[in-house]
Amino acid sequence: MRLRHIEVFNAIMLTGSVSAAARMINVTQPAVSRTLQHAELQLGFALFQRVGGRLQPTSEARTLHPHIERLFAQLDEVQRLSASLKAGRGRGTLRVLTVLGLSYEVFPRAMQLFREKHPRVVVHHQALHSPQIVSALALQEADAGYVFVATSHPALVQERLAERRVMCIAPKGLLPARVLRAGSIQLQQLAGLPLIALDGRDPLGMVLDHALRGQDAGLNEVMSVQTYHVALALAHHGVGVALVEGCTAASADRARVDVLAVEPAIATTVHALRPAAHPQSVAARAFTRCMQQALQQIP
């Protein structure tokens, strides 16, 4: 099938008629009919049958269509990449992506440091989940991304920036005074307390799940959430104890919650990601250094 055949076939599959397909791809109805006939002639089998005034796809057409859908998804990626390249790297602009956990404390601190040295660079920031950041960087839709998990991707270069400890966030009055005086808490000491767990598909959620199973702490999981700041907010409202990475813990309101280091230490690592297809700009390198400085500022 030629690309024109594929375009017409997909339009008819989506609309169910030649006339609607013609309007969808902005050509005449006879042109759609001719192209469909040529495609079927080339293929050697029918793609549609007319039933009750509408075109019904044949079994062969239904088999082909998922592959056509994937092809159009790939074409859409090409268009997105082309638009990104047309926009250019934009001298004086920087496109930065961070996971949510780095967006509330670390990114603003890094932005403050960056503005002091590069006041004329306009930064465009988005907070996304790690897979979205990887996809956007691979398509060169951003200059730099910052995540909590190492990523092996042929289109990306990664750099380890810092290591942060997992912290316990407990509503005031929930933990015994002796534990608070110690300044840290063993996982076993959380047994019986309501625990706000992280989604097991999250990088930190997987690390915590492994650690908790290894310690056999017998924790009482009352709910699970997808983002660290939701877990923190629930702890603020007294729902339960949250275990989050140190960057999120820095946002805790210590008038409402107690913040203690978890023992034995559970570490998370912050990584910088960038597209491998082109040299890193001076501004992107500078922003990564500012992110690293900001991470060092978090207690």
Side-chain angles (χ1 to χ4, degrees), residues 73-86:
Q74 291 174 329
L75 287 172
D76 183 58
E77 286 192 358
V78 171
Q79 290 174 337
R80 288 167 59 195
L81 177 56
S82 300
S84 177
L85 293 173
K86 181 180 178 181

Side-chain angles (χ1 to χ4, degrees), residues 139-214:
L139 289 170
Q140 300 182 47
E141 294 177 338
D143 300 295
Y146 304 92
V147 298
F148 282 120
V149 60
T151 301
S152 178
H153 194 292
L156 302 181
V157 175
Q158 68 175 329
E159 176 187 355
R160 182 183 178 280
L161 296 186
E163 190 173 275
R164 308 296 304 171
R165 289 188 63 172
V166 170
M167 306 294 287
C168 169
I169 313 293
K172 286 287 187 183
L174 194 62
L175 298 178
R178 58 182 176 78
V179 174
L180 299 179
R181 287 194 297 269
S184 62
I185 188 166
Q186 300 283 330
L187 290 175
Q188 290 86 345
Q189 292 176 301
L190 296 174
L193 297 178
L195 176 69
I196 302 161
L198 294 174
D199 191 317
R201 294 166 295 182
D202 176 86
L204 179 55
M206 288 188 285
V207 170
L208 285 173
D209 183 63
H210 179 75
L212 295 175
R213 281 190 282 107

Side-chain angles (χ1 to χ4, degrees), residues 25 44 48 112 124-125 166 180 184-185 224 235 238 268 284 286:
I25 59 178
F48 297 95
Q112 183 181 35
H124 302 284
H125 170 258
V166 170
L180 299 179
S184 62
I185 188 166
S224 67
T268 58

Side-chain angles (χ1 to χ4, degrees), residues 10-28:
N10 188 60
I12 297 174
M13 287 291 292
L14 293 175
T15 62
S17 73
V18 169
S19 57
R23 290 192 297 271
M24 179 180 177
I25 59 178
N26 198 30
V27 298
T28 65

Side-chain angles (χ1 to χ4, degrees), residues 242-293:
L243 298 177
V244 300
E245 40 68 40
C247 300
T248 298
S251 302
D253 180 356
R254 294 177 183 251
R256 302 168 69 184
V257 293
D258 293 308
V259 180
L260 296 91
V262 171
E263 296 288 354
I266 303 172
T268 58
T269 306
V270 180
H271 293 267
L273 305 177
R274 64 176 177 84
H278 59 83
Q280 191 176 29
S281 68
V282 172
R285 285 197 299 271
F287 196 87
T288 293
R289 298 285 74 79
C290 291
M291 284 289 288
Q292 195 167 38
Q293 286 179 257

